[in-house]
Amino acid sequence: MFSLRGALRFLGTSLLLLGADAASFSNPLKDPNGSDPYMVYVDGYYYLTTTTWSDVQITRATTLEGLKTGEVQVVWSDTEPSRCCHLWAPEFHQIDGIWYLYYTAGTSGDSVDNQHVHVLQGGSSPWDSYSYLAQVTPEWGIDGTVLTIANQNYLIWSCMANGIQCNCIATLDTPSTIGETHILSEPLEPWETVGAPVNEGAAPLYHDGSIWVAYSASYCWTANYSLALLEYDGFGDPLEQSSWTKSDGPVFVSADGNYGTGHN
Ligand SMILES: *[C@@H]1O[C@H](CO)[C@@H](O)[C@H](O)[C@H]1NC(C)=O
Ligand SMILES: *[C@@H]1O[C@H](CO)[C@@H](O)[C@H](O)[C@H]1NC(C)=O
């Protein structure tokens, strides 16, 4: 079941990169263990990190195609029982000049009921070494990402609220501490509830003064796992659900032999 989740989420890699120069690479860029991809381009290098389940790895190369044979660094693995295992969804974020790596981890065994968002502190380059900083979400939480609006950082993650898996948001007061938890979006529409009601895998998008949060909807091992958008109204409190408008339906769905559009 977990490898199927990985396989479905892996497809996100292909779709993420369709907009780039198609002539310069062929998919897949990372196989196996290419699910939950997150990439930054810094000082001439692409830095890619993905879910391996067992550790946090970074691959770097000067071209997208080069990532297939790029330099690989294992930047984190852990034997502490509360966060040893099920390492998911790593992401780099630069805050005040320092790179932080947010990731999800929990306990050993089959259960993923103990997943929390954690953060590693790196240096001034994404390639510097990382050390453990803190557990960020007090309750169950996965897929942490950082949203910035008007110089205020927010953590968005997938949480359990009202008994279902929602997107939550809180101010990110320091790189490792959050304020009060608010529900950002709930899986209430038919296209968000296939297999199970799920909102997860949030990714902020900024363009031409507008701000969106793309997220994954429905259960990740169904073909209806899809991407949808929340659009910020431009003036309201980002912590309030009323400041965001959900797309009328998903914006990326299964098609042409690609199933379950994954974690963008
Ligand atoms: C790839 O993922 C599997 C679980 O799906 C894990 O057991 C394995 O260690 C991962 N490989 C690497 C190189 O991390
Ligand atoms: C699930 O996906 C199938 C196949 O693409 C589609 O026909 C169906 O409408 C989807 N269901 C929902 C609730 O969106």
Side-chain angles (χ1 to χ4, degrees), residues 75-133:
V75 297
W76 191 248
S77 64
D78 206 327
T79 53
E80 161 60 36
S82 69
R83 54 175 200 248
C84 64
C85 303
H86 299 294
L87 277 79
W88 295 347
E91 295 196 1
F92 316 92
H93 294 278
Q94 195 179 32
I95 299 175
D96 294 333
I98 302 293
W99 288 94
Y100 294 87
L101 230 156
Y102 292 84
Y103 68 102
T104 300
T107 51
S108 67
D110 288 342
S111 171
V112 290
D113 292 344
N114 301 307
Q115 297 291 89
H116 292 91
V117 176
H118 297 264
V119 62
L120 307 175
Q121 181 171 347
S124 56
S125 157
W127 202 241
D128 287 345
S129 60
Y130 290 83
S131 55
Y132 185 78
L133 190 56

Side-chain angles (χ1 to χ4, degrees), residues 141-158:
I142 65 170
D143 297 347
T145 195
V146 178
L147 166 76
T148 306
I149 295 182
N151 295 319
Q152 171 68 52
N153 292 326
Y154 299 86
L155 186 79
I156 299 176
W157 71 102
S158 185

Side-chain angles (χ1 to χ4, degrees), residues 8-126:
L8 287 165
R9 291 189 136 201
F10 162 74
L11 290 169
T13 310
S14 314
L15 294 161
L16 173 77
L17 295 170
L18 280 176
D21 178 9
S24 62
F25 66 91
S26 63
N27 283 317
L29 290 184
K30 185 162 174 63
D31 183 17
N33 293 353
S35 55
D36 303 333
Y38 196 91
M39 188 162 62
V40 292
Y41 183 68
V42 181
D43 294 337
Y45 281 94
Y46 294 95
Y47 293 89
L48 174 69
T49 183
T50 60
T51 288
T52 72
W53 300 77
S54 50
D55 53 24
V56 180
Q57 298 184 7
I58 301 175
T59 304
R60 78 167 183 178
T62 55
T63 63
L64 293 174
E65 182 68 15
L67 287 168
K68 293 176 185 174
T69 53
E71 296 171 79
V72 178
Q73 241 202 104
V74 176
V75 297
W76 191 248
S77 64
D78 206 327
T79 53
E80 161 60 36
S82 69
R83 54 175 200 248
C84 64
C85 303
H86 299 294
L87 277 79
W88 295 347
E91 295 196 1
F92 316 92
H93 294 278
Q94 195 179 32
I95 299 175
D96 294 333
I98 302 293
W99 288 94
Y100 294 87
L101 230 156
Y102 292 84
Y103 68 102
T104 300
T107 51
S108 67
D110 288 342
S111 171
V112 290
D113 292 344
N114 301 307
Q115 297 291 89
H116 292 91
V117 176
H118 297 264
V119 62
L120 307 175
Q121 181 171 347
S124 56
S125 157

